[in-house]
Amino acid sequence: MDFNALIPELSVTDINKSKAFYLSLGFEIKYERPENKFIFLQLEENQIMLEQINGNWFVGQMHYPFGNGINLSMRVSDVAAKYNELKAKGIKLFRELEVHKYRCDDVEYSDIEFLLQDPDGYLLRFNN
């Protein structure tokens, strides 16, 4: 298995609820350790780890929404198709499909993106 150089690991309140949610988004289980309430997931080239809160990474009190101040940007091959798929499933969106322009030095890029929150409030951004 190839591991990305950066793989976020999210602390979640209920691993089974989070697992079902991420699977509904199209993520696949690459491996899991049920005894540790841990799961490693992948969607296309996007990898993420989830672990039920157990004190291992505790640096302070967590309050919903978790991850306040960060969003996880995930590139997918067809963002419009993913948007339509998730809308058809009734998944609540944080931000609808939009085109945004971002400048990198002297070059302006267009990005098609939408955002949603997972059960613990982590903000997920799907884009092209």
Side-chain angles (χ1 to χ4, degrees), residues 73-91:
S73 180
M74 294 178 270
R75 186 177 62 234
V76 292
S77 57
D78 190 338
V79 70
K82 179 57 72 178
Y83 170 82
N84 290 328
E85 171 194 334
L86 300 183
K87 285 280 280 193
K89 290 181 178 181
I91 293 175

Side-chain angles (χ1 to χ4, degrees), residues 32-87:
E32 59 185 315
R33 294 189 301 269
E35 69 277 11
N36 298 120
K37 297 183 179 178
F38 172 91
I39 186 168
F40 189 104
L41 301 161
Q42 186 163 338
L43 173 67
E44 296 184 22
E45 300 300 316
N46 303 288
Q47 297 176 333
I48 193 165
M49 298 180 288
L50 306 176
E51 184 172 48
Q52 190 164 308
I53 295 171
N54 59 16
N56 282 349
W57 312 115
F58 189 76
V59 296
Q61 190 64 39
M62 295 182 70
H63 301 281
Y64 183 89
F66 294 178
N68 193 20
I70 188 171
N71 70 78
L72 301 174
S73 180
M74 294 178 270
R75 186 177 62 234
V76 292
S77 57
D78 190 338
V79 70
K82 179 57 72 178
Y83 170 82
N84 290 328
E85 171 194 334
L86 300 183
K87 285 280 280 193

Side-chain angles (χ1 to χ4, degrees), residues 10-126:
L10 306 179
S11 296
V12 300
T13 54
D14 183 331
I15 194 68
N16 293 318
K17 184 176 182 180
S18 294
K19 177 181 175 179
F21 178 79
Y22 279 86
L23 292 177
S24 77
L25 298 181
F27 280 83
E28 297 176 353
I29 298 169
K30 299 311 272 185
Y31 67 90
E32 59 185 315
R33 294 189 301 269
E35 69 277 11
N36 298 120
K37 297 183 179 178
F38 172 91
I39 186 168
F40 189 104
L41 301 161
Q42 186 163 338
L43 173 67
E44 296 184 22
E45 300 300 316
N46 303 288
Q47 297 176 333
I48 193 165
M49 298 180 288
L50 306 176
E51 184 172 48
Q52 190 164 308
I53 295 171
N54 59 16
N56 282 349
W57 312 115
F58 189 76
V59 296
Q61 190 64 39
M62 295 182 70
H63 301 281
Y64 183 89
F66 294 178
N68 193 20
I70 188 171
N71 70 78
L72 301 174
S73 180
M74 294 178 270
R75 186 177 62 234
V76 292
S77 57
D78 190 338
V79 70
K82 179 57 72 178
Y83 170 82
N84 290 328
E85 171 194 334
L86 300 183
K87 285 280 280 193
K89 290 181 178 181
I91 293 175
K92 182 181 176 192
L93 299 178
F94 181 82
R95 190 166 292 152
E96 297 289 330
L97 189 68
E98 300 173 338
V99 176
H100 292 138
K101 296 195 181 287
Y102 298 103
R103 187 178 55 77
C104 298
D105 293 326
D106 295 332
V107 179
E108 187 172 86
Y109 295 93
S110 291
D111 195 26
I112 304 169
E113 60 190 28
F114 68 95
L115 291 89
L116 54 89
Q117 284 183 290
D118 83 352
D120 289 295
Y122 290 108
L123 197 56
L124 310 176
R125 179 183 358 180
F126 292 87

